[in-house]
Amino acid sequence: MRKMCNFRAAAALAALLMLLSGCVQPDEATAPEHPFSVWYCSAEPIYGTQTGALCAEQIELPEQERTPERVIRAFLDGPKTDGLTFPSGQRPVLRGVETTDGNVRIAFSSDLMEMPGLARMSVAACLTMTLTQLPEVTSVELAVGSSPSVRYGPFTARDFVLYDVAAQNPEYTVTLYFPNYEGKLVGVRQAILCTDLTQLPVLTARALIAALPLEGSLRAIPAKTQVLDFSVTDGLASIVLSADFTACDNTARSAQNAVRSLVATLCALDGITSVKIAIVGDTDLSNYDISEPITASPDW
């Protein structure tokens, strides 16, 4: 997947993500003298309500120790408060930290790519909410894997702020992937109104087909393509497309772009790890094998 992938979240809910509802307050007897908030996930997140999946734990952290590297280490030490956990319960493996012009780029091992899309966004949200408390930090970016790495962000704290209206009109931000002129994928965030989360994947697929790519990227899926059927079972998304999709099959590059664009977009959603593409009439592509389920790769 393209090294500069943009996995930014919007200001309502982040990719199905979370509602920021408050902090875990320490007992007065054990309250830290120099409190600093470190954000984690609730062990039992509830979506679409005013109870949130993100909560903050107060730790002792003197002013002179408040550097991005020290704060990240504090996050990786894990929560001490009952009811808080790492996203998906997994501690991400740190590779390095780099700060440039207020942006903190945090490199993690490729294990982060194995987390569900929601968990990856949770990591981004927790670290962004934690690090942007530092006056010198304006944004946070995640780099996953070795060279070439996949990058998510940069994010700001505002990207994860919930507006009250979202509870009545749930709006989720997804990432639509488009190929650039080199055939690498670039992510573009888009908000989708969705009152039934089971419908979010099919709405995301339709949004990808309808969306206009930004400058520097290409439309990969033929505009007239229709989603005729969609289901998700045990992490496998099965999608049936109209015959219009075969218009992408004129070259190996264009077929690859269309398939990878769709697969990467759907695999970025929580609960989807692979995609099986079918075309009405049992039509196959000549220039790209879609006979088996396809999983998104960091190399795209």
Side-chain angles (χ1 to χ4, degrees):
M1 198 174 292
R2 190 177 187 269
K3 297 67 170 176
M4 293 298 294
C5 284
N6 180 358
F7 202 67
R8 299 182 67 189
L13 286 172
L16 313 181
L17 193 49
M18 29 223 158
L19 313 177
L20 306 181
S21 64
C23 301
V24 176
Q25 299 298 330
D27 183 83
E28 290 186 4
T30 58
E33 182 178 356
H34 306 94
F36 186 83
S37 297
V38 180
W39 291 83
Y40 296 102
C41 287
S42 169
E44 298 181 358
I46 302 173
Y47 306 109
T49 73
Q50 290 295 340
T51 58
L54 286 190
C55 291
E57 178 179 78
Q58 298 291 311
I59 67 168
E60 170 67 22
L61 192 63
E63 293 286 343
Q64 63 270 23
E65 296 183 25
R66 295 183 182 184
T67 65
E69 293 79 5
R70 176 66 181 89
V71 169
I72 292 170
R73 289 201 304 272
F75 170 78
L76 293 174
D77 284 343
K80 307 300 187 296
T81 305
D82 291 340
L84 298 185
T85 182
F86 286 114
S88 290
Q90 301 179 46
R91 182 194 308 270
V93 179
L94 183 68
R95 295 175 59 90
V97 181
E98 176 184 340
T99 303
T100 306
D101 297 329
N103 180 66
V104 178
R105 180 178 298 163
I106 310 169
F108 288 108
S109 74
S110 56
D111 292 344
L112 192 67
M113 286 297 297
E114 299 177 4
M115 291 186 183
L118 178 58
R120 292 198 300 273
M121 183 56 73
S122 298
V123 173
C126 290
L127 285 168
T128 299
M129 296 299 296
T130 299
L131 284 163
T132 53
Q133 296 172 91
L134 302 177
E136 68 272 26
V137 176
T138 57
S139 60
V140 175
E141 182 178 0
L142 305 188
V144 183
S146 56
S147 180
S149 62
V150 179
R151 295 181 186 173
Y152 303 134
F155 307 101
T156 66
R158 184 173 176 82
D159 288 325
F160 299 100
V161 173
L162 170 69
Y163 291 98
D164 291 339
V165 70
Q168 288 74 41
N169 301 286
E171 185 180 75
Y172 301 99
T173 296
V174 298
T175 302
L176 309 179
Y177 283 98
F178 297 94
N180 64 11
Y181 292 99
E182 299 174 351
K184 297 295 184 179
L185 296 180
V186 56
V188 177
R189 65 177 186 173
Q190 177 162 322
I192 295 179
L193 290 174
C194 179
T195 57
D196 180 358
L197 286 181
T198 63
Q199 295 300 306
L200 188 63
V202 68
L203 293 176
T204 300
R206 289 171 177 162
L208 175 67
I209 296 169
L212 295 175
L214 298 179
E215 183 178 355
S217 57
L218 306 169
R219 179 188 290 278
I221 300 176
K224 294 183 179 180
T225 302
Q226 299 180 48
V227 179
L228 303 179
D229 192 37
F230 196 102
S231 63
V232 179
T233 304
D234 296 331
L236 172 65
S238 299
I239 185 169
V240 179
L241 303 174
S242 66
D244 304 282
F245 184 72
T246 60
C248 72
D249 199 26
N250 52 350
T251 67
R253 171 62 65 85
S254 62
Q256 170 185 288
N257 285 346
V259 172
R260 289 185 174 182
S261 175
L262 180 61
V263 171
T265 296
L266 292 175
C267 284
L269 298 175
D270 183 43
I272 296 179
T273 56
S274 60
V275 179
K276 178 67 174 71
I277 300 174
I279 305 172
V280 69
D282 293 327
T283 305
D284 291 323
L285 298 180
S286 301
N287 290 294
Y288 202 98
D289 184 10
I290 59 171
S291 60
E292 298 294 332
I294 304 169
T295 300
S297 168
D299 296 334
W300 292 359

